[in-house]
PDB file of all heavy atoms in Angstrom:
ATOM      1  N   GLN D   1      12.317  42.762  56.168  1.00  0.00           N
ATOM      2  CA  GLN D   1      13.345  41.759  56.446  1.00  0.00           C
ATOM      3  C   GLN D   1      13.823  41.849  57.864  1.00  0.00           C
ATOM      4  O   GLN D   1      14.711  41.197  58.193  1.00  0.00           O
ATOM      5  CB  GLN D   1      14.627  42.087  55.385  1.00  0.00           C
ATOM      6  CG  GLN D   1      14.249  42.037  53.988  1.00  0.00           C
ATOM      7  CD  GLN D   1      13.744  40.590  53.605  1.00  0.00           C
ATOM      8  OE1 GLN D   1      14.379  39.613  54.002  1.00  0.00           O
ATOM      9  NE2 GLN D   1      12.668  40.578  52.820  1.00  0.00           N
ATOM     10  N   ALA D   2      13.186  42.640  58.668  1.00  0.00           N
ATOM     11  CA  ALA D   2      13.505  42.773  60.073  1.00  0.00           C
ATOM     12  C   ALA D   2      13.350  41.472  60.862  1.00  0.00           C
ATOM     13  O   ALA D   2      12.373  40.752  60.526  1.00  0.00           O
ATOM     14  CB  ALA D   2      12.709  43.748  60.727  1.00  0.00           C
ATOM     15  N   ASP D   3      14.300  41.094  61.606  1.00  0.00           N
ATOM     16  CA  ASP D   3      14.317  39.869  62.329  1.00  0.00           C
ATOM     17  C   ASP D   3      13.737  40.288  63.801  1.00  0.00           C
ATOM     18  O   ASP D   3      14.503  40.680  64.625  1.00  0.00           O
ATOM     19  CB  ASP D   3      15.783  39.427  62.486  1.00  0.00           C
ATOM     20  CG  ASP D   3      15.744  38.117  63.309  1.00  0.00           C
ATOM     21  OD1 ASP D   3      14.762  37.390  63.506  1.00  0.00           O
ATOM     22  OD2 ASP D   3      16.913  37.597  63.815  1.00  0.00           O
ATOM     23  N   ILE D   4      12.459  39.952  64.065  1.00  0.00           N
ATOM     24  CA  ILE D   4      11.746  40.472  65.114  1.00  0.00           C
ATOM     25  C   ILE D   4      10.999  39.321  65.789  1.00  0.00           C
ATOM     26  O   ILE D   4      10.512  38.482  65.000  1.00  0.00           O
ATOM     27  CB  ILE D   4      10.976  41.698  65.037  1.00  0.00           C
ATOM     28  CG1 ILE D   4       9.799  41.415  64.154  1.00  0.00           C
ATOM     29  CG2 ILE D   4      11.797  42.859  64.460  1.00  0.00           C
ATOM     30  CD1 ILE D   4       8.508  41.169  64.828  1.00  0.00           C
ATOM     31  N   SER D   5      10.728  39.419  66.989  1.00  0.00           N
ATOM     32  CA  SER D   5       9.720  38.572  67.764  1.00  0.00           C
ATOM     33  C   SER D   5       9.385  39.232  68.952  1.00  0.00           C
ATOM     34  O   SER D   5      10.272  39.671  69.717  1.00  0.00           O
ATOM     35  CB  SER D   5      10.203  37.147  67.923  1.00  0.00           C
ATOM     36  OG  SER D   5       9.191  36.288  68.337  1.00  0.00           O
ATOM     37  N   GLN D   6       8.082  39.372  69.279  1.00  0.00           N
ATOM     38  CA  GLN D   6       7.618  40.096  70.484  1.00  0.00           C
ATOM     39  C   GLN D   6       6.157  39.781  70.827  1.00  0.00           C
ATOM     40  O   GLN D   6       5.285  39.547  69.950  1.00  0.00           O
ATOM     41  CB  GLN D   6       7.706  41.567  70.069  1.00  0.00           C
ATOM     42  CG  GLN D   6       7.211  42.492  71.046  1.00  0.00           C
ATOM     43  CD  GLN D   6       8.326  43.139  72.069  1.00  0.00           C
ATOM     44  OE1 GLN D   6       9.407  42.656  71.905  1.00  0.00           O
ATOM     45  NE2 GLN D   6       7.982  43.788  72.977  1.00  0.00           N
ATOM     46  N   TRP D   7       5.933  39.618  72.160  1.00  0.00           N
ATOM     47  CA  TRP D   7       4.531  39.610  72.630  1.00  0.00           C
ATOM     48  C   TRP D   7       4.006  41.089  72.875  1.00  0.00           C
ATOM     49  O   TRP D   7       4.814  41.851  73.293  1.00  0.00           O
ATOM     50  CB  TRP D   7       4.477  38.870  73.886  1.00  0.00           C
ATOM     51  CG  TRP D   7       4.513  37.354  73.860  1.00  0.00           C
ATOM     52  CD1 TRP D   7       5.569  36.538  73.942  1.00  0.00           C
ATOM     53  CD2 TRP D   7       3.374  36.466  73.432  1.00  0.00           C
ATOM     54  NE1 TRP D   7       5.318  35.195  73.768  1.00  0.00           N
ATOM     55  CE2 TRP D   7       3.891  35.129  73.456  1.00  0.00           C
ATOM     56  CE3 TRP D   7       2.086  36.752  73.159  1.00  0.00           C
ATOM     57  CZ2 TRP D   7       3.101  34.144  73.203  1.00  0.00           C
ATOM     58  CZ3 TRP D   7       1.253  35.528  72.969  1.00  0.00           C
ATOM     59  CH2 TRP D   7       1.811  34.325  72.813  1.00  0.00           C
ATOM     60  N   VAL D   8       2.828  41.310  72.390  1.00  0.00           N
ATOM     61  CA  VAL D   8       2.228  42.660  72.592  1.00  0.00           C
ATOM     62  C   VAL D   8       0.879  42.459  73.450  1.00  0.00           C
ATOM     63  O   VAL D   8       0.096  41.715  72.962  1.00  0.00           O
ATOM     64  CB  VAL D   8       1.928  43.286  71.259  1.00  0.00           C
ATOM     65  CG1 VAL D   8       1.357  44.639  71.434  1.00  0.00           C
ATOM     66  CG2 VAL D   8       3.197  43.460  70.446  1.00  0.00           C
ATOM     67  N   ALA D   9       0.753  43.160  74.493  1.00  0.00           N
ATOM     68  CA  ALA D   9      -0.489  43.235  75.326  1.00  0.00           C
ATOM     69  C   ALA D   9      -1.495  44.168  74.825  1.00  0.00           C
ATOM     70  O   ALA D   9      -1.054  45.352  74.442  1.00  0.00           O
ATOM     71  CB  ALA D   9      -0.169  43.536  76.824  1.00  0.00           C
ATOM     72  N   LEU D  10      -2.724  43.875  74.820  1.00  0.00           N
ATOM     73  CA  LEU D  10      -3.766  44.747  74.330  1.00  0.00           C
ATOM     74  C   LEU D  10      -4.677  45.247  75.564  1.00  0.00           C
ATOM     75  O   LEU D  10      -5.217  44.398  76.263  1.00  0.00           O
ATOM     76  CB  LEU D  10      -4.701  44.178  73.318  1.00  0.00           C
ATOM     77  CG  LEU D  10      -4.347  44.154  71.890  1.00  0.00           C
ATOM     78  CD1 LEU D  10      -2.979  43.422  71.698  1.00  0.00           C
ATOM     79  CD2 LEU D  10      -5.311  43.583  70.952  1.00  0.00           C
ATOM     80  N   PHE D  11      -4.748  46.548  75.809  1.00  0.00           N
ATOM     81  CA  PHE D  11      -5.411  47.094  76.907  1.00  0.00           C
ATOM     82  C   PHE D  11      -6.759  47.571  76.490  1.00  0.00           C
ATOM     83  O   PHE D  11      -6.883  48.333  75.457  1.00  0.00           O
ATOM     84  CB  PHE D  11      -4.613  48.272  77.452  1.00  0.00           C
ATOM     85  CG  PHE D  11      -3.380  47.952  78.193  1.00  0.00           C
ATOM     86  CD1 PHE D  11      -2.272  47.325  77.529  1.00  0.00           C
ATOM     87  CD2 PHE D  11      -3.227  48.332  79.567  1.00  0.00           C
ATOM     88  CE1 PHE D  11      -1.140  47.103  78.142  1.00  0.00           C
ATOM     89  CE2 PHE D  11      -1.954  48.010  80.195  1.00  0.00           C
ATOM     90  CZ  PHE D  11      -0.979  47.446  79.499  1.00  0.00           C
ATOM     91  N   ALA D  12      -7.808  47.171  77.151  1.00  0.00           N
ATOM     92  CA  ALA D  12      -9.209  47.644  76.819  1.00  0.00           C
ATOM     93  C   ALA D  12      -9.324  49.138  77.214  1.00  0.00           C
ATOM     94  O   ALA D  12      -8.989  49.566  78.218  1.00  0.00           O
ATOM     95  CB  ALA D  12     -10.178  46.784  77.623  1.00  0.00           C
ATOM     96  N   VAL D  13      -9.985  49.819  76.215  1.00  0.00           N
ATOM     97  CA  VAL D  13     -10.413  51.122  76.490  1.00  0.00           C
ATOM     98  C   VAL D  13     -11.854  51.349  75.962  1.00  0.00           C
ATOM     99  O   VAL D  13     -12.318  50.523  75.079  1.00  0.00           O
ATOM    100  CB  VAL D  13      -9.565  52.195  75.758  1.00  0.00           C
ATOM    101  CG1 VAL D  13      -8.125  52.166  76.368  1.00  0.00           C
ATOM    102  CG2 VAL D  13      -9.398  51.913  74.275  1.00  0.00           C
ATOM    103  N   THR D  14     -12.576  52.321  76.456  1.00  0.00           N
ATOM    104  CA  THR D  14     -13.988  52.579  76.089  1.00  0.00           C
ATOM    105  C   THR D  14     -14.044  53.507  74.964  1.00  0.00           C
ATOM    106  O   THR D  14     -15.035  53.541  74.156  1.00  0.00           O
ATOM    107  CB  THR D  14     -14.907  52.969  77.228  1.00  0.00           C
ATOM    108  OG1 THR D  14     -14.291  54.082  77.763  1.00  0.00           O
ATOM    109  CG2 THR D  14     -14.927  51.813  78.190  1.00  0.00           C
ATOM    110  N   ASP D  15     -13.102  54.377  74.791  1.00  0.00           N
ATOM    111  CA  ASP D  15     -12.933  55.439  73.753  1.00  0.00           C
ATOM    112  C   ASP D  15     -11.566  55.446  73.220  1.00  0.00           C
ATOM    113  O   ASP D  15     -10.747  56.140  73.813  1.00  0.00           O
ATOM    114  CB  ASP D  15     -13.530  56.749  74.335  1.00  0.00           C
ATOM    115  CG  ASP D  15     -13.575  57.750  73.171  1.00  0.00           C
ATOM    116  OD1 ASP D  15     -12.973  57.787  72.172  1.00  0.00           O
ATOM    117  OD2 ASP D  15     -14.402  58.813  73.397  1.00  0.00           O
ATOM    118  N   ILE D  16     -11.382  54.839  72.152  1.00  0.00           N
ATOM    119  CA  ILE D  16     -10.091  54.702  71.684  1.00  0.00           C
ATOM    120  C   ILE D  16      -9.408  56.010  71.050  1.00  0.00           C
ATOM    121  O   ILE D  16      -8.186  56.183  71.171  1.00  0.00           O
ATOM    122  CB  ILE D  16      -9.870  53.570  70.563  1.00  0.00           C
ATOM    123  CG1 ILE D  16      -8.444  53.127  70.401  1.00  0.00           C
ATOM    124  CG2 ILE D  16     -10.488  53.906  69.255  1.00  0.00           C
ATOM    125  CD1 ILE D  16      -8.177  51.874  69.657  1.00  0.00           C
ATOM    126  N   ASN D  17     -10.282  56.800  70.576  1.00  0.00           N
ATOM    127  CA  ASN D  17      -9.855  58.104  70.136  1.00  0.00           C
ATOM    128  C   ASN D  17      -9.313  58.983  71.268  1.00  0.00           C
ATOM    129  O   ASN D  17      -8.329  59.605  71.269  1.00  0.00           O
ATOM    130  CB  ASN D  17     -10.889  58.845  69.202  1.00  0.00           C
ATOM    131  CG  ASN D  17     -11.055  58.084  67.976  1.00  0.00           C
ATOM    132  OD1 ASN D  17     -10.234  57.933  67.182  1.00  0.00           O
ATOM    133  ND2 ASN D  17     -12.382  57.760  67.767  1.00  0.00           N
ATOM    134  N   LEU D  18     -10.126  59.026  72.310  1.00  0.00           N
ATOM    135  CA  LEU D  18      -9.750  59.706  73.571  1.00  0.00           C
ATOM    136  C   LEU D  18      -8.517  59.150  74.189  1.00  0.00           C
ATOM    137  O   LEU D  18      -7.540  59.840  74.587  1.00  0.00           O
ATOM    138  CB  LEU D  18     -10.899  59.599  74.551  1.00  0.00           C
ATOM    139  CG  LEU D  18     -10.561  60.316  75.892  1.00  0.00           C
ATOM    140  CD1 LEU D  18     -10.447  61.867  75.683  1.00  0.00           C
ATOM    141  CD2 LEU D  18     -11.772  60.162  76.922  1.00  0.00           C
ATOM    142  N   ALA D  19      -8.333  57.716  74.118  1.00  0.00           N
ATOM    143  CA  ALA D  19      -7.198  57.153  74.767  1.00  0.00           C
ATOM    144  C   ALA D  19      -5.844  57.405  73.969  1.00  0.00           C
ATOM    145  O   ALA D  19      -4.842  57.831  74.605  1.00  0.00           O
ATOM    146  CB  ALA D  19      -7.440  55.671  74.951  1.00  0.00           C
ATOM    147  N   THR D  20      -6.045  57.450  72.666  1.00  0.00           N
ATOM    148  CA  THR D  20      -4.829  57.717  71.816  1.00  0.00           C
ATOM    149  C   THR D  20      -4.405  59.215  72.018  1.00  0.00           C
ATOM    150  O   THR D  20      -3.274  59.527  72.013  1.00  0.00           O
ATOM    151  CB  THR D  20      -4.988  57.387  70.423  1.00  0.00           C
ATOM    152  OG1 THR D  20      -6.312  58.017  69.923  1.00  0.00           O
ATOM    153  CG2 THR D  20      -4.981  55.909  70.132  1.00  0.00           C
ATOM    154  N   ASN D  21      -5.435  60.112  72.181  1.00  0.00           N
ATOM    155  CA  ASN D  21      -5.045  61.515  72.410  1.00  0.00           C
ATOM    156  C   ASN D  21      -4.366  61.701  73.765  1.00  0.00           C
ATOM    157  O   ASN D  21      -3.458  62.483  73.836  1.00  0.00           O
ATOM    158  CB  ASN D  21      -6.301  62.367  72.334  1.00  0.00           C
ATOM    159  CG  ASN D  21      -6.865  62.569  70.892  1.00  0.00           C
ATOM    160  OD1 ASN D  21      -6.153  62.392  69.938  1.00  0.00           O
ATOM    161  ND2 ASN D  21      -8.205  62.813  70.804  1.00  0.00           N
ATOM    162  N   LYS D  22      -4.879  60.924  74.802  1.00  0.00           N
ATOM    163  CA  LYS D  22      -4.155  60.936  76.019  1.00  0.00           C
ATOM    164  C   LYS D  22      -2.771  60.501  75.978  1.00  0.00           C
ATOM    165  O   LYS D  22      -1.839  60.976  76.675  1.00  0.00           O
ATOM    166  CB  LYS D  22      -4.983  60.069  77.009  1.00  0.00           C
ATOM    167  CG  LYS D  22      -6.272  60.684  77.533  1.00  0.00           C
ATOM    168  CD  LYS D  22      -6.074  61.895  78.415  1.00  0.00           C
ATOM    169  CE  LYS D  22      -7.348  62.422  79.014  1.00  0.00           C
ATOM    170  NZ  LYS D  22      -7.106  63.514  79.910  1.00  0.00           N
ATOM    171  N   VAL D  23      -2.545  59.437  75.179  1.00  0.00           N
ATOM    172  CA  VAL D  23      -1.110  58.995  74.958  1.00  0.00           C
ATOM    173  C   VAL D  23      -0.216  60.073  74.469  1.00  0.00           C
ATOM    174  O   VAL D  23       0.938  60.272  74.972  1.00  0.00           O
ATOM    175  CB  VAL D  23      -1.162  57.668  74.061  1.00  0.00           C
ATOM    176  CG1 VAL D  23       0.316  57.395  73.608  1.00  0.00           C
ATOM    177  CG2 VAL D  23      -1.810  56.619  74.625  1.00  0.00           C
ATOM    178  N   LYS D  24      -0.635  60.790  73.402  1.00  0.00           N
ATOM    179  CA  LYS D  24       0.102  61.819  72.811  1.00  0.00           C
ATOM    180  C   LYS D  24       0.273  63.071  73.795  1.00  0.00           C
ATOM    181  O   LYS D  24       1.342  63.561  74.019  1.00  0.00           O
ATOM    182  CB  LYS D  24      -0.642  62.329  71.623  1.00  0.00           C
ATOM    183  CG  LYS D  24      -0.504  61.382  70.418  1.00  0.00           C
ATOM    184  CD  LYS D  24      -1.013  61.858  69.098  1.00  0.00           C
ATOM    185  CE  LYS D  24      -2.518  62.040  69.080  1.00  0.00           C
ATOM    186  NZ  LYS D  24      -3.047  62.395  67.773  1.00  0.00           N
ATOM    187  N   GLU D  25      -0.858  63.370  74.486  1.00  0.00           N
ATOM    188  CA  GLU D  25      -0.801  64.446  75.411  1.00  0.00           C
ATOM    189  C   GLU D  25       0.127  64.200  76.600  1.00  0.00           C
ATOM    190  O   GLU D  25       0.725  65.078  77.221  1.00  0.00           O
ATOM    191  CB  GLU D  25      -2.150  64.810  75.916  1.00  0.00           C
ATOM    192  CG  GLU D  25      -3.129  65.373  74.963  1.00  0.00           C
ATOM    193  CD  GLU D  25      -4.502  65.464  75.335  1.00  0.00           C
ATOM    194  OE1 GLU D  25      -4.757  65.061  76.646  1.00  0.00           O
ATOM    195  OE2 GLU D  25      -5.384  65.738  74.566  1.00  0.00           O
ATOM    196  N   SER D  26       0.319  62.948  76.971  1.00  0.00           N
ATOM    197  CA  SER D  26       1.111  62.523  78.214  1.00  0.00           C
ATOM    198  C   SER D  26       2.548  62.238  77.784  1.00  0.00           C
ATOM    199  O   SER D  26       3.258  61.765  78.627  1.00  0.00           O
ATOM    200  CB  SER D  26       0.429  61.303  78.885  1.00  0.00           C
ATOM    201  OG  SER D  26      -0.858  61.682  79.226  1.00  0.00           O
ATOM    202  N   GLY D  27       2.878  62.318  76.543  1.00  0.00           N
ATOM    203  CA  GLY D  27       4.358  62.236  76.120  1.00  0.00           C
ATOM    204  C   GLY D  27       4.582  60.810  75.499  1.00  0.00           C
ATOM    205  O   GLY D  27       5.723  60.564  75.250  1.00  0.00           O
ATOM    206  N   GLY D  28       3.499  60.038  75.292  1.00  0.00           N
ATOM    207  CA  GLY D  28       3.752  58.688  74.536  1.00  0.00           C
ATOM    208  C   GLY D  28       3.674  58.935  73.119  1.00  0.00           C
ATOM    209  O   GLY D  28       3.706  60.031  72.550  1.00  0.00           O
ATOM    210  N   THR D  29       3.810  57.852  72.367  1.00  0.00           N
ATOM    211  CA  THR D  29       3.726  57.913  70.933  1.00  0.00           C
ATOM    212  C   THR D  29       2.677  57.065  70.370  1.00  0.00           C
ATOM    213  O   THR D  29       2.459  55.846  70.837  1.00  0.00           O
ATOM    214  CB  THR D  29       5.047  57.363  70.430  1.00  0.00           C
ATOM    215  OG1 THR D  29       6.159  58.040  71.004  1.00  0.00           O
ATOM    216  CG2 THR D  29       5.189  57.402  68.935  1.00  0.00           C
ATOM    217  N   VAL D  30       1.842  57.559  69.398  1.00  0.00           N
ATOM    218  CA  VAL D  30       0.938  56.756  68.734  1.00  0.00           C
ATOM    219  C   VAL D  30       1.529  56.315  67.367  1.00  0.00           C
ATOM    220  O   VAL D  30       1.818  57.143  66.472  1.00  0.00           O
ATOM    221  CB  VAL D  30      -0.387  57.506  68.401  1.00  0.00           C
ATOM    222  CG1 VAL D  30      -1.300  56.722  67.727  1.00  0.00           C
ATOM    223  CG2 VAL D  30      -0.993  57.965  69.761  1.00  0.00           C
ATOM    224  N   PHE D  31       1.878  54.972  67.182  1.00  0.00           N
ATOM    225  CA  PHE D  31       2.455  54.474  65.912  1.00  0.00           C
ATOM    226  C   PHE D  31       1.399  54.215  64.888  1.00  0.00           C
ATOM    227  O   PHE D  31       1.702  54.387  63.716  1.00  0.00           O
ATOM    228  CB  PHE D  31       3.249  53.298  66.266  1.00  0.00           C
ATOM    229  CG  PHE D  31       4.519  53.592  67.090  1.00  0.00           C
ATOM    230  CD1 PHE D  31       4.514  53.391  68.376  1.00  0.00           C
ATOM    231  CD2 PHE D  31       5.614  54.052  66.476  1.00  0.00           C
ATOM    232  CE1 PHE D  31       5.640  53.651  69.154  1.00  0.00           C
ATOM    233  CE2 PHE D  31       6.731  54.381  67.178  1.00  0.00           C
ATOM    234  CZ  PHE D  31       6.797  54.194  68.551  1.00  0.00           C
ATOM    235  N   THR D  32       0.259  53.682  65.225  1.00  0.00           N
ATOM    236  CA  THR D  32      -0.868  53.599  64.355  1.00  0.00           C
ATOM    237  C   THR D  32      -2.122  54.209  64.958  1.00  0.00           C
ATOM    238  O   THR D  32      -2.441  53.925  66.081  1.00  0.00           O
ATOM    239  CB  THR D  32      -1.024  52.025  64.011  1.00  0.00           C
ATOM    240  OG1 THR D  32      -1.454  51.337  65.227  1.00  0.00           O
ATOM    241  CG2 THR D  32       0.184  51.428  63.509  1.00  0.00           C
ATOM    242  N   PRO D  33      -2.914  54.909  64.161  1.00  0.00           N
ATOM    243  CA  PRO D  33      -4.040  55.552  64.703  1.00  0.00           C
ATOM    244  C   PRO D  33      -5.131  54.407  64.858  1.00  0.00           C
ATOM    245  O   PRO D  33      -4.959  53.356  64.338  1.00  0.00           O
ATOM    246  CB  PRO D  33      -4.421  56.566  63.585  1.00  0.00           C
ATOM    247  CG  PRO D  33      -3.864  55.965  62.438  1.00  0.00           C
ATOM    248  CD  PRO D  33      -2.602  55.327  62.871  1.00  0.00           C
ATOM    249  N   PRO D  34      -6.166  54.695  65.471  1.00  0.00           N
ATOM    250  CA  PRO D  34      -7.259  53.697  65.638  1.00  0.00           C
ATOM    251  C   PRO D  34      -7.638  53.173  64.261  1.00  0.00           C
ATOM    252  O   PRO D  34      -7.932  53.790  63.323  1.00  0.00           O
ATOM    253  CB  PRO D  34      -8.388  54.471  66.314  1.00  0.00           C
ATOM    254  CG  PRO D  34      -7.758  55.621  67.007  1.00  0.00           C
ATOM    255  CD  PRO D  34      -6.595  55.967  66.235  1.00  0.00           C
ATOM    256  N   THR D  35      -7.736  51.762  64.198  1.00  0.00           N
ATOM    257  CA  THR D  35      -7.796  51.015  62.961  1.00  0.00           C
ATOM    258  C   THR D  35      -8.889  49.949  63.234  1.00  0.00           C
ATOM    259  O   THR D  35      -8.760  49.254  64.143  1.00  0.00           O
ATOM    260  CB  THR D  35      -6.567  50.495  62.415  1.00  0.00           C
ATOM    261  OG1 THR D  35      -5.617  51.536  62.202  1.00  0.00           O
ATOM    262  CG2 THR D  35      -6.748  49.750  61.091  1.00  0.00           C
TER     263      THR D  35
END
């Protein structure tokens, strides 16, 4: 029921598992794992 609207940009990576691990290691947050 959340009232939301948002544009989301998609960044190209060559190894999504490595990139998501870098996000976590660098202090970011992974909300959904590679899908």
Side-chain angles (χ1 to χ4, degrees):
Q1 298 301 312
D3 178 18
I4 66 94
S5 190
Q6 176 91 2
W7 282 100
V8 181
L10 276 63
F11 289 64
V13 294
T14 54
D15 187 331
I16 197 165
N17 292 304
L18 177 62
T20 51
N21 287 335
K22 286 288 187 180
V23 168
K24 289 185 286 188
E25 293 169 3
S26 301
T29 305
V30 177
F31 290 99
T32 60
T35 303

